[in-house]
């Protein structure tokens, strides 16, 4: 019974909470369906506890969904899983709160600014402590901690992880000291910096080049990865994040910010072969949240985009709009959600919506089918921002 004892010990020390994810009351135009199940159980894909002396052995199985919460004082991880009892799948999704604390024996040392998965590792960028945290995907245990200067986002290419950073003392104007950090994933060490003024935020790699959305300059930066020479593509507004289409071209979010207001918001299209800004697809109130505000579906035919604005009581209210790449039009996926923060598409094509009703209270994770039916709703950590599958 030792394994069960240690799990109980973790629960006592770190407030581990296991909750069920239930169908939610539908918003206008929503339909609820039955809860998601997964009848497949493969021991190689399991984590958790199982003791032959236990009268009811419990296994936490595959198909993990890690919700990365920005947090209030520290970031947290909420984990959605499938439960099996005596080799029988329980037909109900459940969620563990404070999963990082459970697996590491301590709280995360920083707020979780960004999260990214590459190979066998999850990379979390910490805001408060300015660090890169390297976790393994199997046990979600932290293996390395690398000091950086205000890291913002990252992307992998070959053996390297490229991290956008705002510098030690951002001026929130010209952002003259911002840069791209180059991290060798083989040696787990920083191997260089590429100076990049303008406050780089989201990054993506396409056609052998690194693209960086700039939060303080109406441009997208382009870094030739073979020479590390930087060039720029002018945009009608500041930018925040990218998604990549089936042809290796990019859509970038155009946003209006307090320091650089713009009447042009929406999606911008960049041809990565010619490095030309091709077209703007305008839509009002593109979210300026530093979360997963846009995500592309698995066959690269639709882009899901958060659009939101503040009401008279300063509540952020909005929804998810869908951009159809073939006919270049927008439609509404869900709407009228207070505190909407992010959207992610799962490997199975489910649409996961992240909601942050306040800066200090619990957030919400809502899962929809591609047709817009709400299938589950879970309470998660403070300010859910990204999802790792």
């Amino acid at each position: 019974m030792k394994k069960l004892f240690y799990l109980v010990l973790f629960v006592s020390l770190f407030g581990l909470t296991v909750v069920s994810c239930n169908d939610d009351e539908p918003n206008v135009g929503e339909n609820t369906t039955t809860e998601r199940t997964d009848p497949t159980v493969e021991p190689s894909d399991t984590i958790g506890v199982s003791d032959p002396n236990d009268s009811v052995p419990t296994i936490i199985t595959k198909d993990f969904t890690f919700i990365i919460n920005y947090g209030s004082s520290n970031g947290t991880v909420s984990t959605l899983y499938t439960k099996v009892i005596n080799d029988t799948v329980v037909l109900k999704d459940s969620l563990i709160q404070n999963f990082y604390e459970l697996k590491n024996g301590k709280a995360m040392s920083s707020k979780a600014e960004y999260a990214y998965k590459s190979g066998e590792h999850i990379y979390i960028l910490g805001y408060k402590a300015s660090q890169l945290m390297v976790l393994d995907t199997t046990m979600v245990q932290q293996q390395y901690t690398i000091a950086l200067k205000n890291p913002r986002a990252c992307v992998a290419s070959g053996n390297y992880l490229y991290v956008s950073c705002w510098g030690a003392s951002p001026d929130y104007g010209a952002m003259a000291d911002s840069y791209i950090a180059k991290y060798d994933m083989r040696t787990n060490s920083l191997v260089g910096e590429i100076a990049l003024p303008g406050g780089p935020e989201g990054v993506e790699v396409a056609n052998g080049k690194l693209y960086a959305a700039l939060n303080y300059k109406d441009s997208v930066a382009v870094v030739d990865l073979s020479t590390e020479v930087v060039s720029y593509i002018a945009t009608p507004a500041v930018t925040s994040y990218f998604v990549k289409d089936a042809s290796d071209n990019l859509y970038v979010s155009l946003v209006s910010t307090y320091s650089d207001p713009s009447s042009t918001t929406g999606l911008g299209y960049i041809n990565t072969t010619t490095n030309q800004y091709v077209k703007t697809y305008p839509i009002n109130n593109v979210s300026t949240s530093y979360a997963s505000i846009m995500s592309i579906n698995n066959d690269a035919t639709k882009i899901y985009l958060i659009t939101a604005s503040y009401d008279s009581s300063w509540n952020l209210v909005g929804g998810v709009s869908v951009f159809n790449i073939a006919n270049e039009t927008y439609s509404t996926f869900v709407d009228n959600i207070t505190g909407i923060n992010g959207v992610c598409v799962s490997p199975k094509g489910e649409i996961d919506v992240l909601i942050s009703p306040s800066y200090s209270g619990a957030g919400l994770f809502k899962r929809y089918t591609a047709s817009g039916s709400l299938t589950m709703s879970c309470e998660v950590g403070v300010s859910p921002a990204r999802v790792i599958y």
Side-chain angles (χ1 to χ4, degrees):
M1 301 292 287
K2 289 183 179 179
K3 292 180 181 178
L4 182 60
F5 167 77
Y6 287 129
L7 179 62
V8 172
L9 179 61
F10 272 123
V11 172
S12 300
L13 290 176
F14 300 108
L16 175 71
T17 303
V18 180
V19 297
S20 297
C21 297
N22 301 315
D23 291 339
D24 196 14
E25 291 296 324
N27 292 331
V28 176
E30 294 178 351
N31 296 309
T32 58
T33 64
T34 57
E35 295 153 336
R36 184 175 74 96
T37 66
D38 186 348
T40 305
V41 179
E42 299 178 16
S44 61
D45 290 329
T46 65
I47 56 177
V49 295
S50 179
D51 192 309
N53 295 317
D54 291 343
S55 58
V56 184
T58 300
I59 301 174
I60 300 171
T61 71
K62 54 179 281 185
D63 286 341
F64 308 115
T65 298
F66 300 116
I67 298 100
I68 312 298
N69 308 298
Y70 178 76
S72 53
S73 57
N74 300 93
T76 63
V77 178
S78 305
T79 301
L80 187 68
Y81 69 97
T82 300
K83 186 177 181 181
V84 176
I85 299 177
N86 287 332
D87 296 326
T88 301
V89 175
V90 177
L91 302 182
K92 194 174 185 66
D93 283 302
S94 293
L95 186 135
I96 296 179
Q97 303 286 22
N98 302 316
F99 193 71
Y100 177 94
E101 289 89 334
L102 169 68
K103 305 307 294 185
N104 291 273
K106 60 182 179 180
M108 194 179 294
S109 59
S110 182
K111 294 181 179 180
E113 181 71 34
Y114 192 86
Y116 178 81
K117 179 183 176 183
S118 179
E120 299 302 314
H121 292 94
I122 296 172
Y123 299 91
I124 296 180
L125 302 179
Y127 168 72
K128 184 174 67 174
S130 285
Q131 58 189 205
L132 166 66
M133 294 170 276
V134 184
L135 288 66
D136 69 275
T137 56
T138 304
M139 299 301 289
V140 197
Q141 291 176 332
Q142 189 164 327
Q143 297 176 321
Y144 304 98
T145 303
I146 309 297
L148 289 170
K149 302 170 186 175
N150 283 301
R152 307 298 302 173
C154 61
V155 66
S157 179
N159 297 317
Y160 301 102
L161 187 74
Y162 295 92
V163 186
S164 57
C165 300
W166 282 2
S169 301
D171 59 26
Y172 302 106
M175 300 291 281
D177 296 328
S178 55
Y179 67 100
I180 301 292
K182 186 176 180 180
Y183 172 80
D184 192 322
M185 295 183 290
R186 299 163 299 179
T187 61
N188 299 296
S189 60
L190 293 173
V191 294
E193 293 183 3
I194 304 169
L196 190 59
E201 186 68 24
V203 283
E204 184 57 271
V205 172
N207 279 323
K209 294 161 287 191
L210 174 71
Y211 292 81
L214 300 181
N215 250 194
Y216 291 86
K217 180 181 174 69
D218 291 357
S219 299
V220 165
V222 186
V223 182
D224 186 315
L225 292 179
S226 60
T227 64
E228 297 188 354
V229 171
V230 179
S231 58
Y232 295 89
I233 300 171
T235 55
V238 294
T239 55
S240 55
Y241 298 105
F242 300 99
V243 293
K244 186 162 54 176
D245 70 9
S247 301
D248 226 28
N249 294 314
L250 298 176
Y251 290 86
V252 63
S253 53
L254 305 169
V255 296
S256 178
T257 63
Y258 177 80
S259 60
D260 194 338
S262 174
S263 60
T264 303
T265 62
L267 293 173
Y269 182 65
I270 295 173
N271 184 312
T272 61
T273 300
T274 62
N275 275 347
Q276 290 183 331
Y277 185 91
V278 177
K279 191 173 182 179
T280 299
Y281 301 100
I283 188 171
N284 293 331
N285 301 321
V286 174
S287 174
T288 57
S289 171
Y290 291 122
S292 179
I293 68 163
M294 60 191 300
S295 186
I296 195 165
N297 67 346
N298 298 324
D299 61 2
T301 59
K302 295 180 179 179
I303 298 171
Y304 295 83
L305 180 69
I306 297 292
T307 52
S309 61
Y310 288 97
D311 64 15
S312 58
S313 300
W314 291 104
N315 297 310
L316 191 63
V317 181
V320 179
S321 296
V322 185
F323 179 74
N324 186 306
I325 290 177
N327 61 27
E328 300 181 343
T329 60
Y330 291 98
S331 60
T332 299
F333 184 72
V334 293
D335 204 359
N336 297 319
I337 297 177
T338 300
I340 190 162
N341 201 42
V343 61
C344 300
V345 180
S346 81
K348 293 184 177 181
E350 302 145 324
I351 314 303
D352 294 336
V353 176
L354 307 173
I355 302 168
S356 180
S358 73
Y359 292 108
S360 58
L364 291 174
F365 169 89
K366 291 179 179 286
R367 173 161 283 176
Y368 298 82
T369 65
S371 62
S373 296
L374 179 66
T375 60
M376 72 170 68
S377 179
C378 302
E379 189 174 275
V380 294
V382 177
S383 297
R386 300 188 181 272
V387 183
I388 299 293
Y389 303 99

